[in-house]
Amino acid sequence: MSEVVKKAGGAGMIVINYPVDGYSIIADDHVLPASMVPYAYGVEIQAYINSTSTPIATIINHGTAMHRPHSPDVASFSSRGPSQITPGILKPDIIGPGVNILAGWNSQAFALLSGTSMSCPHLSGIAALIKKAHPGWSPAAIKSAIMTTASVTDNTGGPILDEQHRPADLFAVGAGHVNARQAIDPGLVYDLTPEDYVPYLCGLGYNDSAVSALTRKPVRCSSLKSISQGELNYPSISVTLQANSWKSVSYTRTVTNVGKPTSIYAVKVDMPKGVSASVTPTTLSFEKVNQKKSFSISFRRSGGRSGRVGGQLRWVSRKHVVRSPISIRLK
């Protein structure tokens, strides 16, 4: 684009976002001075251009801007949920740095890159750090540590915003923005073994051959007690409550103590209007590391609203807050 402007005799270039991209700014290489602006700013610039016969603009480089307010936020290209294949599991799991990352590049020393190809190495590196600190942890335990310690506020203390500067919902942020320091010491984890996925896969409706191909050993789903998607021991919870039904929906979760040997956690549940939830038991007491405790959480409609809403479950001790996001679909 900038090559065309330069060949046409242009001295500089202002690139305006598409409306769908909102305030997301993706850096790019240009052959002349250029500035990319959000769509809302672009509308003002175009109005100015149309208001005078001699519009004038100046591009000033103020250097690298640090501590930009409302960071982090969710980019327009970030994948959104819900999952179309497994809506019973909240997606995305987590968000991480992926916009305008100074990265190594094959054709030159470095380049500013954006996308999942940038957020993936950030999360992979954090997972590697956790594995180094806790060699015995499973992949599920590492994922749980990352999700339950994620940040849900930006650097101003407010909610993480999306590309339109609106509070981002659960299908944009999942559990939140990765917090590497907190993830090293999560207190509790929601662990899973490979065998735990077999009744889950059977519950998704896969036949014996498909499940056996995944597990690489013979599986007969008819001989197993299948589980629904929401019953998988996952660090997040997704539940659907039917219209005109006051029947409760209950799930069981099991947490493993990876913090201090002796610790006590109290439950805190935040629910939106129209939904009530109860947890049994309301406290979890541990006497040793790797001890497991189970709890059940029940949801019930308490109003007539419909749509998708969100809440959270937190297990709180003196040192840790183990948070699980809850996605609720009211049909």
Side-chain angles (χ1 to χ4, degrees):
M1 182 188 303
S2 57
E3 290 276 5
V4 174
V5 174
K6 184 177 182 180
K7 289 179 180 179
M13 182 174 66
I14 298 174
V15 183
I16 300 172
N17 258 1
Y18 290 109
V20 68
D21 291 321
Y23 290 89
S24 291
I25 299 296
I26 310 300
D28 202 358
D29 295 328
H30 295 290
V31 297
L32 44 66
S35 179
M36 185 172 183
V37 300
Y39 176 75
Y41 299 171
V43 171
E44 296 181 14
I45 293 172
Q46 288 176 324
Y48 162 68
I49 293 172
N50 294 329
S51 70
T52 177
S53 59
T54 57
I56 299 174
T58 303
I59 297 176
I60 302 174
N61 181 8
H62 290 289
T64 302
M66 305 295 289
H67 307 294
R68 185 174 68 89
H70 301 294
S71 297
D73 55 12
V74 185
S76 57
F77 62 77
S78 186
S79 297
R80 263 53 168 194
S83 169
Q84 299 300 315
I85 299 175
T86 55
I89 294 181
L90 174 62
K91 291 295 176 178
D93 288 325
I94 195 81
I95 59 172
V99 179
N100 301 333
I101 305 300
L102 185 62
W105 193 240
N106 56 2
S107 61
Q108 58 197 60
F110 294 95
L112 285 171
L113 304 176
S114 299
T116 53
S117 58
M118 294 296 99
S119 57
C120 179
H122 278 92
L123 270 295
S124 299
I126 291 170
L129 288 174
I130 296 173
K131 186 66 173 178
K132 176 67 174 179
H134 307 284
W137 283 16
S138 68
I142 293 172
K143 174 188 278 191
S144 174
I146 291 173
M147 290 176 62
T148 60
T149 59
S151 300
V152 294
T153 58
D154 63 21
N155 60 357
T156 68
I160 294 175
L161 304 180
D162 65 13
E163 74 281 0
Q164 301 295 343
H165 280 183
R166 300 170 302 200
D169 63 17
L170 290 180
F171 297 124
V173 300
H177 191 274
V178 63
N179 186 323
R181 289 185 178 181
Q182 296 292 337
I184 290 289
D185 181 22
L188 304 175
V189 294
Y190 294 81
D191 205 0
L192 284 165
T193 67
E195 289 73 22
D196 292 327
Y197 285 96
V198 176
Y200 161 74
L201 293 171
C202 291
L204 289 177
Y206 291 108
N207 59 32
D208 293 351
S209 297
V211 179
S212 298
L214 288 171
T215 60
R216 298 184 180 182
K217 62 182 180 181
V219 172
R220 291 184 60 189
C221 287
S222 60
S223 64
L224 298 172
K225 182 181 179 181
S226 300
I227 62 173
S228 66
Q229 299 169 35
E231 293 176 288
L232 191 67
N233 196 46
Y234 216 71
S236 60
I237 300 173
S238 291
V239 60
T240 297
L241 301 177
Q242 299 292 335
N244 302 319
S245 174
W246 306 109
K247 184 179 180 181
S248 64
V249 176
S250 299
Y251 294 137
T252 298
R253 290 286 193 271
T254 300
V255 290
T256 304
N257 179 31
V258 294
K260 292 184 177 181
T262 302
S263 53
I264 299 175
Y265 289 80
V267 72
K268 294 183 182 296
V269 182
D270 301 308
M271 286 288 105
K273 291 182 179 180
V275 181
S276 63
S278 60
V279 176
T280 304
T282 57
T283 60
L284 299 176
S285 299
F286 297 90
E287 293 79 38
K288 57 183 179 180
V289 176
N290 293 325
Q291 185 178 6
K292 297 180 181 294
K293 294 280 186 175
S294 297
F295 65 91
S296 65
I297 180 168
S298 298
F299 302 92
R300 188 189 302 270
R301 294 183 74 113
S302 58
R305 65 185 297 186
S306 62
R308 296 183 183 274
V309 293
Q312 63 179 1
L313 164 72
R314 291 173 293 159
W315 287 104
V316 182
S317 71
R318 290 184 177 181
K319 184 179 179 181
H320 299 98
V321 176
V322 185
R323 177 184 176 273
S324 292
I326 302 173
S327 172
I328 306 163
R329 183 186 180 191
L330 301 173
K331 297 187 69 175

